[in-house]
Amino acid sequence: MPLTLESVRQDFPLIVGKPDLVYLDSTASSQKPQAVIEALERFYRESYANVHRGAYSLSLAATDAYEQARHTLARFIGAQPEEVIFVRNTTEALNLVAYAWGLHNLREGDEILLSEMEHHANLVPWHLVAQRTGARIKAIPLTPEGRLELCALDELLTERVKVVSLVHMSNVLGTVNPVAEVARRAKAAGALVVVDGAQSAPHMPIDVKALGADFFAFSGHKMCGPTGAGVLWGRAEVLQELPPFLGGGEMILEVHVDRSSYARPPQRFEAGTPPIAEAIALGAAAEYLMGVGMEQIWQHDRALVEYCLKRLDEELPEVRTFGPRGKDRGGVVAFSLGSLHAHDVACALDQYGIAVRAGHHCAQPLHRKLGLASTARASFYLYTTFEEVDRFIEGLKQVREFFKDWL
Amino acid sequence: MKLLEELYKEILLRHYKHPLNFRTLEGASVKMPGVNPSCGDSLELYLRLEDGRIAEAAWQGQGCAISMTSASLMSELIKGKTPPEALELTRKFKAMIVDGAEPAPELGDLRALAGVHKLHARVKCATLAWNTLEEALKE
């Protein structure tokens, strides 16, 4: 029987087990379906051994399962398996690119182009590399609605820009950036293009070839997979030329006491024992999501966010929301309630079993731009229901009443 | 909402809206920044020491009701105290917030924050000013 979004809640044991919980923090990390939990357990119970080492059947079976997961993830994003590198998460993927590519290709006076809506994971690695290379960092500004100011792009894309690293979907504003267009213009200007897909890969169909980027990074734990496994996709020609990031076992061709040569991609970038079980379970997560349908998940998120924003606008004028209104907006609603601090709001919502995040969401430059130290944030996923959005709205009304003297 | 009703009383509202000693301090002996990296809340604490006592305390910053109230009341309570006395108050405040100890009478109005112990996510908010005070007194 094909999966439907109405039935998916039954696939998530934590959600079934906590009927009073309204989990609205999938942007931070998603809940896990039974298929993923089972894949993790089954592998440990039945097939566990290290990969790419043993000559014995059990290790070969583990290697097959691990490589099968690589094929699945490749299919998930429209890539070739040898372009899929298993890493810990988006942060590690972006560090890999910044260090392995950046340290070898950036010189003093070169420019790294980011945007004002980046997550710290796509800022700090570049800061570290800029400090070492003398490269400078610039940022694409934002429009008041929270979109990229694309008019500024041509002026920013000088010949000094060697890399453009950009978030696909903002974890605060929900903005889906026109990455393909930026990539086309950046490539024309001779820059490498890196995409932070941490929020987009779990929520919409991804075709890395159509995006036209050189690297695409995402985490498994935000897309129903376990923690500890994520993916860096790299264009084959780029990976071929890329030096290693971490050295150690598995990533070599030949090692002498004083020198070594490296394996081909993707093994070149997977030093040491990888997160085997986690990668296999991430493969199960990708299968699960493709079974539901990524386009269906995106439409579901879209419908929820439209419904939520409409009700907030009409019924809670004290609530200010951030991010664009339109089809380029995913299922993320960052908001503030009057002059209340986000912690006070989130803590009060928690008393009603409503889990939202409060803070800067690892996007301090963006919050500085918004003129706020922090926001509260509700986010949706395939298991989120309209009834939960209703409970969120009703909860916010209670919170407004509770804090009426504070607003 | 019972937990919050016990905690978010008039006293928090008062300090949240009108925090005490909320200013910079000219001629401060110590100026110490404090930050909660996880949420971005930050403050700056100013102390003027005179004859081995905290003659004046002031602060500026932004935060939630709990962190603002805690900083506001702390800045009032430590005035006139010696650094060891202020550190002893810090210990007693943290015992109340972190360990759930019986609130010490000398904490005065700060005892209103005792309920934070049950709201684990807010322990960092309540202790931000006090951690900053500890750092400042190390100098």
Side-chain angles (χ1 to χ4, degrees), chain A residues 341-348 358-359 374, chain B residues 8 36 38-39 41 64 121-122 125:
Chain A
H341 192 282
H343 275 181
D344 295 311
V345 176
C347 188
S374 62
Chain B
Y8 282 79
N36 259 348
S38 60
C39 62
D41 284 0
C64 60
R122 310 303 294 282
C125 312

Side-chain angles (χ1 to χ4, degrees), chain B residues 85-128:
Chain B
E85 285 168 351
L87 288 172
E88 180 58 16
L89 288 168
T90 306
R91 193 188 63 73
K92 285 178 172 155
F93 181 77
K94 285 193 181 177
M96 173 178 84
I97 299 291
V98 181
D99 309 323
E102 191 64 29
E106 53 269 50
L107 290 174
D109 283 350
L110 280 157
R111 288 174 296 178
L113 290 172
V116 172
H117 173 63
K118 291 183 197 147
L119 299 167
H120 299 287
R122 310 303 294 282
V123 166
K124 279 186 188 168
C125 312
T127 53
L128 173 62

Side-chain angles (χ1 to χ4, degrees), chain A residues 250-298:
Chain A
E250 299 250 21
M251 50 75 71
I252 51 94
L253 266 186
E254 213 179 55
V255 177
H256 303 265
V257 169
D258 59 347
R259 70 200 136 85
S260 45
S261 55
Y262 316 122
R264 295 156 65 92
Q267 274 74 31
R268 187 188 300 164
F269 306 101
E270 294 183 2
T273 296
I276 308 167
E278 290 83 352
I280 290 167
L282 176 53
E287 289 285 8
Y288 175 81
L289 291 174
M290 289 187 282
V292 175
M294 292 309 295
E295 183 59 33
Q296 280 85 334
I297 292 171
W298 174 245

Side-chain angles (χ1 to χ4, degrees), chain A residues 348-384:
Chain A
L349 284 171
D350 183 46
Q351 307 302 306
Y352 297 101
I354 299 163
V356 300
R357 174 126 181 228
H360 50 61
H361 319 301
C362 298
Q364 281 188 337
L366 173 60
H367 278 80
R368 218 164 276 133
K369 177 100 181 171
L370 299 174
L372 295 165
S374 62
T375 53
R377 181 187 69 188
S379 55
F380 314 130
Y381 205 10
L382 72 166
Y383 41 69
T384 310

